[in-house]
Amino acid sequence: DGYCSVPQPIDFESTLGTAYGYYYPPTNPKYYSTEEAPPLLVKAHGGPTAATSAAYNPTIQFWTSRGFAVLDVDYGGSTGYGREYRRRLRGNWGVVDVDDVCAGAQALVARGLADAKRLAIDGGSAGGYTTLGALAFRDVFTAGCSLYGVADLSTLARDTHKFESRYLDGLVGKLPEDQALYDERAPIKKVEQLSCPILLLQGDEDKIVPPNQATLMHEALLRKGLPCALKLYKGEQHGFRKAENIVDALNSELYFYSKVFGFECAGDDIVPFEIDNLS
């Protein structure tokens, strides 16, 4: 009792108008903080033409019970807000979604609900692409975690499974005529613009976003000299299904942020791992 953070629907202004999300304040009846504002984790849902929900989500409660505020963003292109809102992402994947997650974080900082120096972002699949895009194309977040996320759009279009092989035609453009647009929006090709630590979590049998997306990004981060880590989960596909890996992914992300933001992780189930380029 008292551990459950209740989502608060919020809206905020972004590039194409009002965007939406759910804000979860940090909640733990056994602990309190005298800090002016908590660290914030912004979550970008997958799809990308999908939506988040206010339904109970134990993953979000994991973070709020450990002192993080969470903003779960329904960026432009999400369902549930009308046709025009859904159409915002047409030809604009990697632009509108990135603008909206950044605007959401900045809005919470302006409202005193988040610490500007401890802004993290994570997401899986398409949300991982938005995460990497926000870190490569903007200067808002101070850390991030991509779970089986897209680093190179051209590689995704070439390597993904048949059912989604033409998905990017409407989200970005058609190949080969729009190759320049694909390159412009590929985080892997903008690694020189990255400036903060990144954790990459990936299944080694993923057929939708193949593991080479994560390994290429990790190699680029190593060359850049940024704090980073790549964890490959054996036998996992697109989205982790084994309980032990789901737990490890959460704990690994928490451990990563603890080293980046300078706090101590509580709990016996935290397993330290090597973070490359961490001084």
Side-chain angles (χ1 to χ4, degrees), residues 116-236:
K117 295 182 179 179
R118 295 179 295 170
L119 298 179
I121 180 171
D122 77 6
S125 190
Y129 170 66
T130 300
T131 294
L132 294 174
L135 298 173
F137 308 143
R138 303 291 187 275
D139 187 23
V140 173
F141 296 98
T142 51
C145 175
S146 170
L147 297 94
Y148 37 91
V150 179
D152 188 336
L153 291 174
S154 297
T155 303
L156 176 68
R158 184 182 68 245
D159 294 346
T160 195
H161 60 113
K162 184 177 180 180
F163 182 71
E164 290 189 349
S165 62
R166 312 309 304 179
Y167 192 21
L168 272 63
D169 288 8
L171 292 171
V172 182
K174 294 184 177 181
L175 289 172
E177 52 265 44
D178 291 318
Q179 183 63 57
L181 198 56
Y182 277 70
D183 292 343
E184 180 184 332
R185 297 187 193 170
I188 190 70
K189 298 184 183 298
K190 303 292 182 180
V191 69
E192 73 279 356
Q193 298 175 196
L194 290 165
S195 60
C196 70
I198 300 176
L199 174 63
L200 303 164
L201 304 176
Q202 175 73 41
D204 70 349
E205 295 182 3
D206 195 334
K207 303 299 183 186
I208 297 176
V209 179
N212 64 342
Q213 294 269 311
T215 55
L216 286 171
M217 193 67 187
H218 185 234
E219 291 167 3
L221 291 166
L222 288 173
R223 290 193 299 269
K224 174 73 172 177
L226 289 172
C228 61
L230 168 61
K231 298 192 77 171
L232 282 172
Y233 291 94
K234 186 175 177 59
E236 288 287 9

Side-chain angles (χ1 to χ4, degrees), residues 50-132:
T52 188
S53 165
Y56 178 77
N57 185 335
T59 298
I60 289 178
Q61 303 299 327
F62 172 90
W63 293 103
T64 56
S65 65
R66 287 160 176 79
F68 277 75
V70 172
L71 175 61
D72 204 1
V73 179
D74 267 333
Y75 48 78
S78 301
T79 58
Y81 301 89
R83 181 180 298 174
E84 292 307 312
Y85 194 78
R86 180 166 49 83
R87 286 179 172 173
R88 285 186 185 181
L89 208 59
R90 286 189 175 182
N92 284 317
W93 192 31
V95 179
V96 167
D97 50 319
V98 170
D99 284 344
D100 288 357
V101 293
C102 291
Q106 291 170 321
L108 292 186
V109 170
R111 298 174 193 181
L113 297 175
D115 181 358
K117 295 182 179 179
R118 295 179 295 170
L119 298 179
I121 180 171
D122 77 6
S125 190
Y129 170 66
T130 300
T131 294
L132 294 174

